[in-house]
Amino acid sequence: MDQPALAAFLRSRRGGLRPEDVGLAAGPRRLVPGLRREEVAALAGMSTDYYVRMEQARSPQPSEQMLSALARAIRLSSDERDYLYRLAGHNVPQRTPQDTHVAPALLRVYDRLEETPALILSSLGETLAQNRLGAALLGDHLRFTGLARSSVYRWFTDSAEREIYPVADRDRQSQAQASSLRVALGAAGPRSRAGTLVRELQKVSTEFTGIWALQKVATRFEDHKTLIHPELGPIELDCQVLFTEDQGQALLILTAAPRSEAAEKLALLAVLGQQTFAPPARSSTAPVD
């Protein structure tokens, strides 16, 4: 671990960012340029004291999980992320089509989406970022761990995952989930995390096994769909998607037609937030079938 170099790199990156670069309000005029240390710490989910010690070259070695969160908080590119890991004395994460380091270009768009639900997904359906309205509409996807981080895995193993869709749409959604997983498997190969997901799902879901045998391949995000909120009922939304260049990550944006009933429900949802439904985290689930 090269503490002086790590500290200098963090100070430089923090000093080069403005609040609006990371989705924060600019607020009153600042005496010095850049983000405040407490802002970086909050974005990375760490204590301000720990981050201050990192910039002062007197912290213990940060974990890989902490480095991942920090790289995302200060909007590092993949090359900069790798450099951060090396300075901290860790092996550089392998770059694959299923890399979970969020592309800064997607984050720049995502940071500006405050009035409509939005989330960033990996090719395995793992939620990498989710704004406040996205969590209010869909529930907090960032709470999941293990295989359950993948929406594909949850769809075929947890009946609660299907409650947000009307019964008539669930077969189509099952097809779409399996088809998108096959796309990810083709890009990463059978020894990847996509391959692990396929093998585990074949063990626990006869529905998945049957659909998987159909050999369907498709990535489907753009859609007009109805989602069912537990308090507000059905909400008709349009889903638009922005992919990274390698198709490994996608920014999903859910919008309602102006002055529609759905738009009114989204406005109400912004007030309600997640206060009425916030189930506890779970790392494993029970099979649907």
Side-chain angles (χ1 to χ4, degrees), residues 117 133 135-138 163-164 226-237 256 260-277:
L133 265 178
L137 175 65
L138 304 170
E163 293 176 359
I164 197 169
T226 299
L227 299 178
I228 302 174
H229 185 272
E231 300 295 326
L232 302 180
I235 306 177
E236 292 190 27
L237 298 168
S260 65
E261 180 183 2
E264 294 176 358
K265 288 184 177 181
L266 285 184
L268 181 56
L269 190 61
V271 177
L272 289 177
Q274 290 178 262
Q275 59 183 323
T276 56
F277 69 112

Side-chain angles (χ1 to χ4, degrees), residues 121-122 180 219-225 239-241 243 250 252:
L121 297 177
S122 74
S180 65
T219 299
R220 181 185 64 82
F221 284 117
E222 296 182 74
D223 199 2
H224 181 81
K225 60 179 64 182
C239 177
Q240 301 295 324
V241 63
F243 283 102
L252 269 64

Side-chain angles (χ1 to χ4, degrees), residues 5 19 29 34-35 46 48 61 87 101 112 159 162 166 182 189 237 242 256:
R29 184 177 178 181
L35 296 180
M46 63 176 67
T48 300
Q61 184 183 37
L87 291 180
H101 177 62
R112 286 157 175 77
S159 59
R162 304 185 176 212
R182 192 174 288 279
L237 298 168
L242 177 64

Side-chain angles (χ1 to χ4, degrees), residues 180-202:
S180 65
L181 179 56
R182 192 174 288 279
V183 172
L185 180 68
R191 295 186 179 181
S192 65
R193 291 189 297 120
T196 299
L197 268 177
V198 171
R199 290 187 291 273
E200 292 301 316
L201 283 170
Q202 287 175 325

Side-chain angles (χ1 to χ4, degrees), residues 14-145:
R14 179 173 62 82
L17 289 170
R18 298 179 179 180
E20 53 267 32
D21 294 335
V22 295
L24 299 176
R29 184 177 178 181
R30 298 179 178 226
L31 298 178
V32 294
L35 296 180
R36 298 186 177 97
R37 292 186 178 92
E38 57 267 27
E39 290 172 333
V40 174
L43 288 168
M46 63 176 67
S47 72
T48 300
D49 178 68
Y50 188 93
Y51 180 76
V52 169
R53 284 186 286 153
M54 289 183 71
E55 283 203 1
Q56 295 175 342
R58 58 186 184 89
S59 70
Q61 184 183 37
S63 67
E64 293 183 11
Q65 291 82 0
M66 185 173 291
L67 291 174
S68 177
L70 189 56
R72 183 179 302 176
I74 57 178
R75 303 308 193 253
L76 298 186
S77 68
S78 294
D79 289 338
E80 291 168 333
R81 185 272 311 264
D82 292 352
Y83 181 65
L84 177 71
Y85 271 69
R86 292 190 182 100
L87 291 180
H90 286 287
N91 292 327
V92 173
Q94 183 180 6
R95 295 196 196 183
T96 71
Q98 292 158 21
D99 193 344
T100 57
H101 177 62
V102 181
L106 280 190
L107 280 173
R108 285 195 294 271
V109 180
Y110 167 84
D111 286 336
R112 286 157 175 77
L113 298 172
E114 298 180 356
E115 298 181 358
T116 195
L119 59 162
I120 296 177
L121 297 177
S122 74
S123 60
L124 299 181
E126 300 159 321
T127 298
L128 307 178
Q130 184 180 33
N131 69 4
R132 185 177 65 88
L133 265 178
L137 175 65
L138 304 170
D140 179 12
H141 287 180
L142 297 176
R143 73 186 190 275
F144 294 108
T145 60

